[in-house]
Amino acid sequence: MEVDSGTVNLVSKEGDTFPVDIEVARMSELVKGMLEDDADDDEEATEIPLPNVKSTVLKKVIEFCKHHRSEPMTEIEKPLKSAAMAEVVQKWYADFVNVEQVLLFELILAANYMDIKPLLDLTCATVASMIKGKTPEEIRKTFNIANDFSPEEEAQVREENKWCEEP
């Protein structure tokens, strides 16, 4: 039995409940599978626990899914044609991922856990755009990564991999 109308309650890590249209919630393959497993039950509103997703992140995920239903995101070309997300996807989506790094990475984890491919594609492409055209030092600075190579080890790795940097 296919369940397509009504609402489902998504429950965050903190226990907050978010009522969502079933057709919006079905963008998540995880939720879709749980709804199909629950289709036999005649409960009015199914509760779906999402113990790996914080409330603040779940709000953003729901916002994405609602918008995606009314305006689907354009396919993201690979490799990225630009480091500016506004040149890769529509403005709304570029603005959506213009967030703090911590939230961006939490969105990636939520999209992966909930199995929402368009959101995972968008968030991962955003991280890729943050790396595009940067030197290793700039990438370390962007993501606050410590360089754990000694100068000798770094020189050796650069020598072994200099073919990567040749035009």
Side-chain angles (χ1 to χ4, degrees):
M1 176 182 136
E2 285 275 314
V3 182
D4 280 328
S5 60
T7 60
V8 61
N9 291 322
L10 302 181
V11 183
S12 71
K13 179 180 191 170
E14 296 88 346
D16 297 328
T17 300
F18 297 89
V20 179
D21 288 343
I22 285 178
E23 54 192 58
V24 171
R26 288 173 67 86
M27 271 192 71
S28 162
E29 292 296 325
L30 174 74
V31 171
K32 184 177 173 183
M34 289 176 155
L35 285 171
E36 287 167 1
D37 291 347
D38 254 17
D40 315 334
D41 302 346
D42 286 339
E43 295 174 41
E44 272 187 24
T46 304
E47 275 204 355
I48 302 209
L50 299 167
N52 295 356
V53 186
K54 293 180 189 171
S55 294
T56 52
V57 178
L58 187 52
K59 279 183 198 163
K60 289 286 283 180
V61 170
I62 293 167
E63 179 187 354
F64 174 89
C65 292
K66 284 180 178 175
H67 188 83
H68 193 277
R69 284 202 44 81
S70 61
E71 182 195 4
M73 185 175 69
T74 53
E75 187 74 22
I76 296 173
E77 291 179 38
K78 296 165 196 90
L80 289 179
K81 61 183 176 186
S82 169
M85 287 306 291
E87 294 175 23
V88 178
V89 291
Q90 298 100 309
K91 182 181 181 338
W92 187 92
Y93 292 101
D95 291 343
F96 178 82
V97 290
N98 186 13
V99 294
E100 295 287 323
Q101 252 185 49
V102 172
L103 179 55
L104 179 62
F105 286 114
E106 287 177 342
L107 282 168
I108 289 172
L109 294 173
N112 187 47
Y113 171 68
M114 294 177 70
D115 198 359
I116 305 172
K117 187 177 182 330
L119 180 56
L120 188 59
D121 287 349
L122 176 64
T123 51
C124 288
T126 302
V127 172
S129 74
M130 295 164 80
I131 293 171
K132 189 172 178 64
K134 291 190 174 171
T135 66
E137 291 76 23
E138 292 169 327
I139 294 168
R140 281 191 204 101
K141 187 174 181 200
T142 299
F143 296 107
N144 201 19
I145 301 169
N147 183 358
D148 55 358
F149 284 122
S150 69
E152 297 79 25
E153 291 171 324
E154 190 166 344
Q156 180 184 350
V157 169
R158 286 186 187 279
E159 182 59 34
E160 290 171 357
N161 296 290
K162 70 178 173 188
W163 58 270
C164 296
E165 296 175 20
E166 293 171 0

